[in-house]
Amino acid sequence: LFAVKSAGASDAATLRRERAVLAGLSSPHVVRCVGGGEGAEEGSYQLFLEYAPGGSLADEVARNGGSLEERAIRAYAADVLRALAYLHGDRSVVHGDVKARNVLIGGDGRAKLADFGCARAFGSASARPIGGTPAFMAPEVARGEDQGPAADVWALGCTVIEMATGRAPWSDT
């Protein structure tokens, strides 16, 4: 059993790049890529990922009435921190879009970082524009400066706020 992430021809390169990033990763705190390939439509692409039966952390917050208890927040935040420690320390990779929607809950109830579409090696000069979700962006990223490991830690802090309140930081809804 696995999940399929699909993209049409216009976004297929992003999924191919995401597969390349995931192929170099092996951590119990990161969603595993089990393959990928060309889709049925010309130029489309499909990425095959480990199935996470708990859905996203955002789904878990919604199932719990819009906020999680402190104990759950602590446990999920610790899992994401382990994923970031692995990415930043062992792989020199910045995730670039940490938020509750991009954290999945595995069959064991543990959080796993997913959606590596904005990931990049830190310190790399890339022609790609900086990605991510504006409400979770560190100030330096919003200013167009380098997106390093500190930006992922900032986004995790924003995710903790999201887990506690059910809303993205600085949102009006």
Side-chain angles (χ1 to χ4, degrees):
L1 189 61
F2 54 88
V4 179
K5 188 174 180 179
S6 298
S10 62
D11 296 319
T14 301
L15 279 190
R16 284 186 190 91
R17 197 179 61 69
E18 184 173 354
R19 180 182 182 191
V21 170
L22 286 168
L25 303 178
S26 178
S27 167
H29 306 290
V30 173
V31 168
R32 189 172 37 89
C33 178
V34 294
E38 302 304 314
E41 293 180 28
E42 187 176 333
S44 66
Y45 193 78
Q46 296 179 331
L47 188 60
F48 308 118
L49 303 166
E50 170 186 2
Y51 177 68
S56 76
L57 194 48
D59 297 333
E60 181 71 2
V61 170
R63 280 192 295 268
N64 283 278
S67 66
L68 298 178
E69 293 183 10
E70 184 179 339
R71 183 176 182 193
I73 294 170
R74 241 187 352 257
Y76 290 136
D79 289 340
V80 176
L81 278 171
R82 288 181 189 98
L84 293 177
Y86 167 74
L87 293 175
H88 299 162
D90 293 350
R91 310 311 304 171
S92 298
V93 169
V94 176
H95 183 273
D97 198 17
V98 176
K99 60 183 178 182
R101 183 69 47 210
N102 291 340
V103 177
L104 302 180
I105 302 172
D108 60 358
R110 305 299 299 262
K112 294 176 174 267
L113 198 51
D115 195 343
F116 282 74
C118 293
R120 64 176 69 209
F122 58 81
S124 69
S126 174
R128 272 187 326 108
I130 291 175
T133 304
F136 295 80
M137 277 185 184
E140 65 272 19
V141 178
R143 288 190 303 263
E145 298 169 13
D146 191 35
Q147 190 169 16
D152 281 348
V153 175
W154 171 279
L156 175 57
C158 294
T159 304
V160 168
I161 292 169
E162 186 182 16
M163 286 189 281
T165 67
R167 299 181 316 180
W170 305 285
S171 68
D172 293 333
T173 58

